Amino acid sequence: MLLHIPNVLTPDEAAEFRRRLDGADWTDGRETVGAQGAKVKRNEQVPDNSPLKVELGAAVLAALKRCPLFFAAALPRKILPPRFNRYAGGGAYGFHVDGAVMKLATGEHLRSDLSCTLFLNDPGDYEGGRLIVSDTYGEHAIALPAGDAILYPSSSLHRVEPVTRGTRLASFFWIQSMVRDNDLRRMLFEMDTAIQKLTRDGADDNAVLQLTCVYHNLLRRWSET
């Protein structure tokens, strides 16, 4: 499931992120990938040990907490602290798949079920730089307004096109979901969305209650906590 999540950050918040990142201590993005990824990755990142990265990452997590669409779709159990990248001057990232297991600072491990890119500036600020996600339906090109995010399965092949003008800024992170299986997670999301619409439309209370019970019993059956 490929899902556009609008307005994770407000325009003012995105502008403040850009201002703070303008003075960041950027380093080679290949420092955080393995040998295969390093062959195709050409961008810059804020180092993991940077206080700015920690501060802005916490701000991203706080923004996600006020975003019910993200929670309904991802059903997050663990989130890798958000990172920040910059593409400019032809920077690109060729086709790759994200690592299946990642280590948290606590020593725990996170299984990457979902990947998320949070765009920090508008597509008009740069040329190229679209996120290309490949799945069984073909290739999907994504370039969203500042403050919007795209959520997609970490098992997907994906790449970032070369940025030939301007600079593309984004935050990115991975999620381990309470529901490992993408198809089961998608069905739960669709059921949750339908329940919310029925509630807004004034559907029969007993019918909505029955569907809500089914949703929670399926989540209870399929979740890993």
Side-chain angles (χ1 to χ4, degrees), residues 2-19 21 26 43 56 59-60 63-64 66 70 82-87 115-133 140-152 158-163 167-173:
L2 193 70
L3 182 66
H4 173 195
I5 304 176
N7 305 315
V8 176
L9 298 176
T10 67
D12 286 346
E13 287 172 332
E16 178 64 10
F17 271 66
R18 293 193 298 272
R19 186 187 71 78
L21 289 168
W26 296 94
N43 69 2
L56 294 184
V60 171
L64 292 172
R66 64 177 191 242
F70 171 80
R83 292 171 172 168
F84 299 87
N85 60 21
R86 177 171 75 175
Y87 290 84
S115 302
C116 189
T117 296
L118 171 60
F119 292 82
L120 298 177
N121 60 336
D122 290 323
D125 294 341
Y126 53 89
E127 289 182 1
R130 292 181 300 174
L131 172 66
I132 309 295
V133 179
H140 310 274
I142 301 132
L144 300 179
D148 288 12
I150 190 75
L151 188 68
Y152 58 97
H158 56 284
R159 64 185 176 92
V160 176
E161 294 179 326
V163 171
T167 299
R168 174 193 189 269
L169 289 171
S171 176
F172 63 102
F173 50 95

Coordinates of all heavy atoms in Angstrom, one line a residue, residues 2-19 21 26 43 56 59-60 63-64 66 70 82-87 115-133 140-152 158-163 167-173:
L2 N 0.6 2.1 -1.0 CA 1.3 3.4 -1.1 C 0.3 4.5 -0.7 O -0.8 4.6 -1.2 CB 1.7 3.6 -2.6 CG 2.7 4.6 -3.0 CD1 4.1 4.3 -2.4 CD2 2.7 4.8 -4.5
L3 N 0.7 5.2 0.4 CA -0.3 6.2 1.0 C 0.3 7.5 1.2 O 1.3 7.7 1.8 CB -0.8 5.6 2.3 CG -1.9 6.5 3.0 CD1 -3.2 6.5 2.2 CD2 -2.1 6.0 4.4
H4 N -0.4 8.5 0.6 CA 0.0 9.9 0.8 C -0.7 10.4 2.1 O -1.9 10.3 2.3 CB -0.6 10.7 -0.4 CG -0.4 12.2 -0.3 ND1 -1.1 13.1 -1.1 CD2 0.3 13.0 0.5 CE1 -0.8 14.3 -0.8 NE2 0.1 14.3 0.2
I5 N 0.1 11.0 3.0 CA -0.3 11.5 4.2 C -0.1 13.0 4.2 O 1.0 13.5 4.4 CB 0.4 10.8 5.4 CG1 0.2 9.3 5.4 CG2 -0.2 11.4 6.8 CD1 1.0 8.6 6.4
P6 N -1.1 13.8 4.0 CA -0.9 15.3 3.9 C -0.8 15.9 5.3 O -1.2 15.4 6.3 CB -2.2 15.7 3.3 CG -3.3 14.7 3.7 CD -2.5 13.4 3.8
N7 N -0.1 17.1 5.3 CA -0.1 18.0 6.5 C 0.5 17.3 7.7 O -0.1 17.6 8.8 CB -1.5 18.5 6.7 CG -2.1 19.2 5.5 OD1 -1.4 20.0 4.8 ND2 -3.3 18.9 5.2
V8 N 1.5 16.5 7.6 CA 2.2 16.0 8.8 C 2.8 17.2 9.5 O 2.7 17.3 10.8 CB 3.2 15.0 8.5 CG1 4.0 14.6 9.7 CG2 2.6 13.8 7.8
L9 N 3.4 18.1 8.8 CA 3.9 19.4 9.3 C 3.1 20.5 8.7 O 2.7 20.5 7.6 CB 5.4 19.6 8.9 CG 6.4 18.5 9.4 CD1 7.8 18.9 8.9 CD2 6.5 18.5 11.0
T10 N 3.0 21.6 9.5 CA 2.3 22.8 9.0 C 3.4 23.5 8.1 O 4.6 23.3 8.1 CB 1.9 23.7 10.1 OG1 3.1 24.2 10.8 CG2 1.0 23.0 11.1
P11 N 2.9 24.4 7.2 CA 3.9 25.2 6.4 C 4.9 25.9 7.3 O 6.1 26.0 6.9 CB 3.0 26.2 5.7 CG 1.6 25.5 5.5 CD 1.5 24.7 6.8
D12 N 4.5 26.5 8.4 CA 5.4 27.2 9.3 C 6.5 26.2 9.8 O 7.7 26.5 10.0 CB 4.7 27.9 10.4 CG 4.0 29.2 9.9 OD1 4.3 29.6 8.8 OD2 3.2 29.7 10.7
E13 N 6.0 25.0 10.2 CA 6.9 24.0 10.8 C 7.9 23.6 9.7 O 9.1 23.4 10.0 CB 6.1 22.8 11.3 CG 5.4 23.1 12.6 CD 4.5 22.0 13.0 OE1 4.0 21.2 12.1 OE2 4.2 21.8 14.2
A14 N 7.5 23.3 8.5 CA 8.4 22.9 7.4 C 9.4 24.0 7.1 O 10.6 23.7 6.9 CB 7.5 22.6 6.2
A15 N 8.9 25.3 7.1 CA 9.9 26.4 6.9 C 10.9 26.4 8.0 O 12.1 26.7 7.7 CB 9.1 27.7 6.8
E16 N 10.5 26.2 9.2 CA 11.5 26.2 10.4 C 12.5 25.0 10.2 O 13.7 25.2 10.5 CB 10.8 26.1 11.7 CG 11.7 26.0 12.9 CD 12.5 27.3 13.1 OE1 12.3 28.3 12.4 OE2 13.4 27.3 14.0
F17 N 12.0 23.9 9.8 CA 12.9 22.7 9.5 C 14.0 23.1 8.5 O 15.2 22.9 8.6 CB 12.1 21.5 9.0 CG 11.7 20.6 10.1 CD1 10.7 21.0 11.0 CD2 12.1 19.3 10.2 CE1 10.3 20.2 12.0 CE2 11.7 18.5 11.2 CZ 10.8 18.9 12.1
R18 N 13.5 23.8 7.4 CA 14.4 24.2 6.3 C 15.5 25.2 6.8 O 16.7 25.1 6.5 CB 13.7 24.8 5.1 CG 12.8 23.8 4.4 CD 12.3 24.3 3.1 NE 11.5 25.5 3.2 CZ 10.2 25.5 3.4 NH1 9.5 24.3 3.5 NH2 9.5 26.6 3.4
R19 N 15.0 26.1 7.7 CA 15.9 27.1 8.2 C 17.0 26.4 9.1 O 18.2 26.8 9.0 CB 15.1 28.1 9.0 CG 16.0 29.3 9.5 CD 15.2 30.2 10.5 NE 15.0 29.5 11.8 CZ 15.9 29.4 12.7 NH1 17.1 29.9 12.6 NH2 15.6 28.8 13.9
L21 N 18.0 23.3 9.0 CA 18.8 22.4 8.2 C 19.8 23.1 7.3 O 20.8 22.5 6.9 CB 17.9 21.4 7.4 CG 17.2 20.4 8.2 CD1 16.2 19.7 7.4 CD2 18.2 19.3 8.8
W26 N 26.3 18.7 7.1 CA 26.0 17.6 6.2 C 27.2 16.7 6.0 O 28.3 17.2 5.8 CB 25.4 18.1 4.9 CG 24.1 18.9 5.1 CD1 24.0 20.2 5.2 CD2 22.8 18.3 5.1 NE1 22.7 20.5 5.4 CE2 21.9 19.4 5.3 CE3 22.3 17.0 5.0 CZ2 20.5 19.2 5.3 CZ3 20.9 16.8 5.1 CH2 20.1 17.9 5.2
N43 N 24.0 11.3 -2.0 CA 23.3 12.4 -1.3 C 24.1 12.8 -0.1 O 25.1 12.2 0.2 CB 21.9 12.0 -1.1 CG 21.7 10.9 0.0 OD1 22.7 10.5 0.6 ND2 20.5 10.6 0.3
L56 N 15.3 17.6 15.7 CA 14.3 17.6 14.6 C 13.6 16.3 14.5 O 12.4 16.2 14.1 CB 15.0 18.0 13.3 CG 15.6 19.5 13.3 CD1 16.1 19.8 11.9 CD2 14.5 20.5 13.6
A59 N 10.9 16.2 16.8 CA 9.8 17.0 16.3 C 8.9 16.3 15.3 O 7.7 16.4 15.3 CB 10.3 18.3 15.8
V60 N 9.6 15.5 14.4 CA 8.8 14.7 13.5 C 8.0 13.7 14.2 O 6.8 13.5 13.9 CB 9.8 14.0 12.5 CG1 9.1 13.0 11.6 CG2 10.5 15.0 11.6
A63 N 5.0 15.3 15.6 CA 4.0 15.6 14.5 C 3.2 14.4 14.1 O 2.0 14.5 13.9 CB 4.7 16.2 13.3
L64 N 3.9 13.2 14.1 CA 3.2 12.0 13.7 C 2.1 11.6 14.7 O 1.1 11.0 14.4 CB 4.2 10.9 13.5 CG 5.2 11.0 12.4 CD1 6.2 9.9 12.4 CD2 4.4 10.9 11.0
R66 N 0.1 13.4 16.2 CA -1.2 14.2 16.0 C -1.8 13.9 14.6 O -2.6 14.6 14.2 CB -0.9 15.7 16.2 CG 0.0 16.3 15.2 CD 0.1 17.8 15.4 NE 0.8 18.4 14.2 CZ 1.9 19.1 14.3 NH1 2.5 19.2 15.5 NH2 2.5 19.6 13.2
F70 N -1.7 8.5 9.8 CA -0.5 7.7 9.9 C -0.6 6.5 10.8 O -0.2 5.4 10.5 CB 0.7 8.6 10.4 CG 1.9 7.9 10.7 CD1 2.8 7.5 9.7 CD2 2.2 7.5 12.0 CE1 4.0 6.8 10.0 CE2 3.4 6.8 12.3 CZ 4.2 6.4 11.3
P82 N 13.9 9.5 13.1 CA 14.0 10.1 11.7 C 15.4 10.6 11.4 O 16.0 11.2 12.3 CB 12.9 11.2 11.8 CG 11.9 10.7 12.8 CD 12.7 10.0 13.8
R83 N 15.7 10.5 10.2 CA 17.0 11.0 9.6 C 16.6 12.1 8.6 O 15.4 12.2 8.2 CB 17.8 9.9 9.0 CG 18.4 8.9 10.0 CD 19.0 7.7 9.3 NE 19.7 6.9 10.2 CZ 20.2 5.7 9.9 NH1 20.0 5.2 8.7 NH2 20.8 4.9 10.8
F84 N 17.6 12.8 8.1 CA 17.4 13.9 7.2 C 18.4 13.8 6.1 O 19.6 13.6 6.3 CB 17.5 15.2 7.9 CG 16.5 15.4 9.1 CD1 16.7 14.9 10.3 CD2 15.2 15.9 8.8 CE1 15.8 14.9 11.3 CE2 14.3 16.0 9.8 CZ 14.6 15.5 11.1
N85 N 17.9 14.0 4.8 CA 18.8 14.0 3.7 C 18.6 15.2 2.8 O 17.6 15.9 2.8 CB 18.7 12.6 2.9 CG 17.4 12.4 2.4 OD1 16.5 13.2 2.2 ND2 17.1 11.1 2.1
R86 N 19.6 15.4 1.9 CA 19.6 16.5 1.0 C 20.2 16.0 -0.3 O 21.2 15.4 -0.4 CB 20.5 17.6 1.6 CG 20.7 18.8 0.7 CD 21.4 20.0 1.4 NE 22.8 19.8 1.6 CZ 23.6 20.7 2.1 NH1 23.2 21.8 2.5 NH2 24.9 20.4 2.2
Y87 N 19.5 16.3 -1.4 CA 19.9 16.0 -2.8 C 20.1 17.3 -3.5 O 19.2 18.2 -3.5 CB 18.9 15.1 -3.5 CG 18.7 13.7 -3.0 CD1 17.9 13.4 -1.9 CD2 19.4 12.7 -3.6 CE1 17.8 12.2 -1.5 CE2 19.2 11.4 -3.2 CZ 18.4 11.1 -2.1 OH 18.3 9.8 -1.6
S115 N 8.4 2.1 5.1 CA 9.3 3.2 4.9 C 8.5 4.5 4.7 O 7.4 4.4 4.2 CB 10.2 3.0 3.6 OG 10.9 1.8 3.7
C116 N 9.0 5.6 5.2 CA 8.3 6.9 5.1 C 9.2 8.0 4.7 O 10.3 8.1 5.3 CB 7.6 7.2 6.4 SG 6.5 8.6 6.3
T117 N 8.8 8.8 3.8 CA 9.6 10.0 3.4 C 8.7 11.2 3.6 O 7.5 11.2 3.2 CB 10.0 10.0 1.9 OG1 10.9 8.9 1.7 CG2 10.7 11.3 1.5
L118 N 9.2 12.1 4.4 CA 8.5 13.4 4.8 C 9.2 14.5 4.0 O 10.3 14.8 4.3 CB 8.5 13.6 6.3 CG 8.0 15.0 6.8 CD1 6.5 15.2 6.4 CD2 8.2 15.0 8.3
F119 N 8.5 15.1 3.0 CA 9.1 16.1 2.2 C 9.1 17.4 3.0 O 8.1 17.8 3.6 CB 8.3 16.3 0.9 CG 8.4 15.1 0.0 CD1 7.6 14.0 0.2 CD2 9.3 15.1 -1.1 CE1 7.7 12.8 -0.6 CE2 9.4 14.0 -1.9 CZ 8.6 12.9 -1.7
L120 N 10.2 18.1 2.9 CA 10.4 19.4 3.6 C 10.4 20.6 2.8 O 10.4 21.7 3.3 CB 11.7 19.3 4.5 CG 11.8 18.2 5.5 CD1 13.1 18.1 6.2 CD2 10.6 18.3 6.5
N121 N 10.5 20.4 1.5 CA 10.3 21.6 0.6 C 9.5 21.2 -0.6 O 9.3 20.0 -0.9 CB 11.6 22.3 0.2 CG 12.6 21.3 -0.6 OD1 12.5 20.1 -0.4 ND2 13.5 21.9 -1.3
D122 N 8.9 22.2 -1.3 CA 8.0 22.0 -2.4 C 8.7 21.5 -3.7 O 9.9 21.9 -3.9 CB 7.2 23.2 -2.7 CG 6.2 23.6 -1.6 OD1 5.7 22.7 -1.0 OD2 6.1 24.8 -1.3
P123 N 8.0 20.7 -4.5 CA 8.6 20.2 -5.8 C 9.1 21.4 -6.7 O 10.0 21.2 -7.5 CB 7.5 19.4 -6.4 CG 6.6 19.0 -5.3 CD 6.7 20.2 -4.3
G124 N 8.5 22.5 -6.6 CA 8.9 23.7 -7.4 C 10.3 24.2 -7.0 O 10.9 25.0 -7.8
D125 N 10.8 23.8 -5.9 CA 12.1 24.3 -5.4 C 13.3 23.5 -6.1 O 14.4 23.9 -6.0 CB 12.3 24.1 -3.9 CG 11.3 25.0 -3.1 OD1 10.8 25.9 -3.7 OD2 11.1 24.6 -2.0
Y126 N 12.9 22.5 -6.9 CA 14.0 21.7 -7.5 C 13.4 21.0 -8.7 O 12.2 20.8 -8.9 CB 14.6 20.6 -6.5 CG 13.5 19.8 -5.9 CD1 13.1 18.5 -6.4 CD2 12.9 20.1 -4.6 CE1 12.2 17.7 -5.8 CE2 12.0 19.3 -4.0 CZ 11.6 18.1 -4.6 OH 10.6 17.4 -4.0
E127 N 14.3 20.5 -9.6 CA 14.0 19.7 -10.7 C 14.5 18.3 -10.5 O 15.6 18.1 -10.0 CB 14.5 20.3 -12.0 CG 13.8 21.5 -12.4 CD 14.3 22.1 -13.7 OE1 15.2 21.5 -14.3 OE2 13.9 23.2 -14.2
G128 N 13.7 17.3 -11.0 CA 14.1 15.9 -10.7 C 13.7 15.6 -9.2 O 12.8 16.1 -8.7
G129 N 14.5 14.6 -8.7 CA 14.3 14.3 -7.2 C 13.0 13.6 -6.9 O 12.7 13.4 -5.7
R130 N 12.3 13.1 -7.9 CA 11.1 12.3 -7.5 C 11.4 11.0 -6.9 O 12.4 10.3 -7.3 CB 10.2 12.1 -8.8 CG 9.6 13.4 -9.3 CD 8.7 13.1 -10.5 NE 9.5 12.5 -11.6 CZ 8.9 12.1 -12.7 NH1 7.6 12.2 -12.9 NH2 9.7 11.5 -13.6
L131 N 10.7 10.6 -5.9 CA 10.8 9.2 -5.4 C 10.1 8.3 -6.3 O 8.9 8.5 -6.5 CB 10.2 9.2 -3.9 CG 10.1 7.8 -3.3 CD1 11.5 7.2 -3.0 CD2 9.3 7.9 -2.0
I132 N 10.7 7.3 -6.8 CA 10.1 6.3 -7.7 C 10.0 5.0 -6.9 O 11.0 4.4 -6.5 CB 11.0 6.0 -8.9 CG1 11.3 7.4 -9.6 CG2 10.3 5.1 -9.9 CD1 10.2 8.1 -10.2
V133 N 8.8 4.5 -6.7 CA 8.5 3.3 -6.0 C 8.0 2.3 -7.0 O 7.0 2.6 -7.7 CB 7.5 3.5 -4.8 CG1 7.2 2.2 -4.1 CG2 8.0 4.5 -3.8
H140 N 5.8 4.3 -9.6 CA 5.0 5.4 -9.1 C 6.0 6.5 -8.8 O 6.9 6.4 -8.0 CB 4.2 5.1 -7.9 CG 3.3 3.8 -8.1 ND1 2.1 3.8 -8.6 CD2 3.6 2.5 -7.8 CE1 1.6 2.6 -8.6 NE2 2.5 1.8 -8.1
A141 N 5.8 7.7 -9.4 CA 6.7 8.9 -9.2 C 6.0 9.8 -8.2 O 4.9 10.2 -8.4 CB 6.9 9.6 -10.5
I142 N 6.8 10.1 -7.1 CA 6.2 10.9 -6.0 C 7.0 12.1 -5.7 O 8.2 12.0 -5.5 CB 6.1 10.0 -4.7 CG1 5.2 8.8 -5.0 CG2 5.5 10.8 -3.6 CD1 5.8 7.5 -4.5
A143 N 6.4 13.3 -5.7 CA 7.0 14.5 -5.3 C 5.9 15.3 -4.6 O 5.0 15.8 -5.3 CB 7.6 15.3 -6.4
L144 N 5.9 15.5 -3.3 CA 4.8 16.0 -2.5 C 5.1 17.4 -2.0 O 6.3 17.8 -1.9 CB 4.5 15.1 -1.4 CG 4.0 13.7 -1.8 CD1 3.8 12.8 -0.5 CD2 2.8 13.7 -2.7
P145 N 4.1 18.2 -1.7 CA 4.3 19.5 -1.0 C 5.0 19.4 0.3 O 5.0 18.3 1.0 CB 2.9 20.0 -0.8 CG 2.0 19.2 -1.8 CD 2.7 17.9 -1.9
A146 N 5.7 20.4 0.7 CA 6.4 20.5 2.0 C 5.4 20.2 3.1 O 4.3 20.7 3.2 CB 7.0 21.9 2.2
G147 N 5.8 19.3 4.0 CA 5.0 18.9 5.1 C 4.2 17.6 4.9 O 3.6 17.1 5.8
D148 N 4.1 17.1 3.6 CA 3.4 15.9 3.3 C 4.4 14.7 3.3 O 5.6 14.9 3.0 CB 2.7 16.0 2.0 CG 1.5 16.9 2.0 OD1 1.4 17.7 3.0 OD2 0.7 16.9 1.0
A149 N 3.8 13.5 3.6 CA 4.6 12.3 3.7 C 4.0 11.2 2.8 O 2.8 11.2 2.4 CB 4.7 11.8 5.1
I150 N 4.9 10.3 2.3 CA 4.5 9.1 1.6 C 4.9 7.9 2.4 O 6.1 7.8 2.9 CB 5.1 9.1 0.2 CG1 4.5 8.0 -0.7 CG2 6.6 9.0 0.2 CD1 3.1 8.3 -1.1
L151 N 4.0 6.9 2.6 CA 4.2 5.7 3.3 C 4.1 4.6 2.3 O 3.2 4.5 1.6 CB 3.2 5.6 4.4 CG 3.3 4.5 5.4 CD1 4.5 4.7 6.4 CD2 2.0 4.4 6.3
Y152 N 5.1 3.6 2.4 CA 5.1 2.5 1.4 C 5.9 1.3 2.0 O 6.7 1.5 3.0 CB 5.7 2.9 0.1 CG 7.2 3.4 0.2 CD1 8.2 2.6 -0.1 CD2 7.4 4.8 0.5 CE1 9.5 3.1 0.0 CE2 8.7 5.2 0.6 CZ 9.8 4.4 0.3 OH 11.1 4.9 0.4
H158 N 12.9 0.9 -4.8 CA 12.6 2.4 -4.9 C 13.9 3.1 -5.2 O 15.0 2.6 -5.0 CB 11.9 3.0 -3.7 CG 12.6 2.8 -2.4 ND1 12.6 1.6 -1.8 CD2 13.4 3.6 -1.7 CE1 13.3 1.7 -0.6 NE2 13.8 2.9 -0.6
R159 N 13.8 4.3 -5.7 CA 15.0 5.1 -6.1 C 14.6 6.6 -6.0 O 13.4 7.0 -5.9 CB 15.5 4.8 -7.4 CG 14.6 5.2 -8.6 CD 15.2 4.7 -9.9 NE 14.3 4.9 -11.0 CZ 14.2 6.0 -11.8 NH1 15.1 7.0 -11.6 NH2 13.4 6.1 -12.8
V160 N 15.6 7.5 -6.0 CA 15.4 8.9 -6.1 C 16.0 9.4 -7.4 O 17.2 9.2 -7.6 CB 15.9 9.7 -4.9 CG1 15.8 11.2 -5.0 CG2 15.2 9.2 -3.6
E161 N 15.3 10.1 -8.2 CA 15.8 10.6 -9.5 C 16.9 11.7 -9.2 O 16.8 12.4 -8.1 CB 14.7 11.2 -10.3 CG 13.7 10.3 -10.8 CD 12.6 11.0 -11.6 OE1 12.3 12.1 -11.3 OE2 12.1 10.4 -12.6
P162 N 17.8 11.9 -10.1 CA 18.8 13.0 -9.9 C 18.2 14.3 -9.8 O 17.2 14.6 -10.5 CB 19.7 12.9 -11.2 CG 19.5 11.5 -11.7 CD 18.1 11.1 -11.3
V163 N 18.7 15.1 -8.9 CA 18.2 16.5 -8.7 C 19.1 17.4 -9.6 O 20.3 17.5 -9.3 CB 18.2 16.9 -7.2 CG1 18.0 18.4 -7.1 CG2 17.2 16.1 -6.4
T167 N 17.6 22.2 -4.5 CA 17.9 21.2 -3.5 C 16.6 20.6 -3.0 O 15.6 21.3 -2.8 CB 18.6 21.9 -2.3 OG1 19.8 22.5 -2.8 CG2 18.9 21.0 -1.2
R168 N 16.6 19.3 -2.8 CA 15.5 18.5 -2.3 C 15.8 18.1 -0.8 O 16.9 17.5 -0.6 CB 15.3 17.3 -3.1 CG 14.2 16.3 -2.6 CD 14.3 15.0 -3.4 NE 13.3 14.0 -3.2 CZ 13.3 13.1 -2.3 NH1 14.4 13.0 -1.4 NH2 12.4 12.2 -2.2
L169 N 15.0 18.5 0.1 CA 15.2 18.2 1.5 C 14.1 17.3 2.0 O 12.9 17.5 1.7 CB 15.2 19.4 2.4 CG 16.4 20.4 2.3 CD1 16.0 21.7 3.0 CD2 17.6 19.8 2.8
A170 N 14.4 16.3 2.8 CA 13.4 15.4 3.3 C 13.9 14.7 4.6 O 15.1 14.7 4.9 CB 13.1 14.3 2.3
S171 N 12.9 14.2 5.4 CA 13.2 13.4 6.5 C 12.7 12.0 6.1 O 11.8 11.8 5.3 CB 12.4 13.8 7.7 OG 12.6 12.9 8.8
F172 N 13.4 11.0 6.6 CA 13.0 9.6 6.2 C 13.2 8.7 7.4 O 14.1 8.9 8.3 CB 13.8 9.1 5.0 CG 15.3 9.0 5.2 CD1 15.9 7.8 5.5 CD2 16.1 10.1 5.2 CE1 17.3 7.7 5.7 CE2 17.5 10.1 5.5 CZ 18.0 8.8 5.7
F173 N 12.4 7.7 7.5 CA 12.5 6.8 8.7 C 11.7 5.5 8.3 O 11.0 5.4 7.3 CB 11.9 7.4 9.9 CG 10.5 8.0 9.7 CD1 9.4 7.3 10.1 CD2 10.4 9.3 9.3 CE1 8.1 7.9 9.9 CE2 9.2 9.9 9.1 CZ 8.0 9.2 9.4

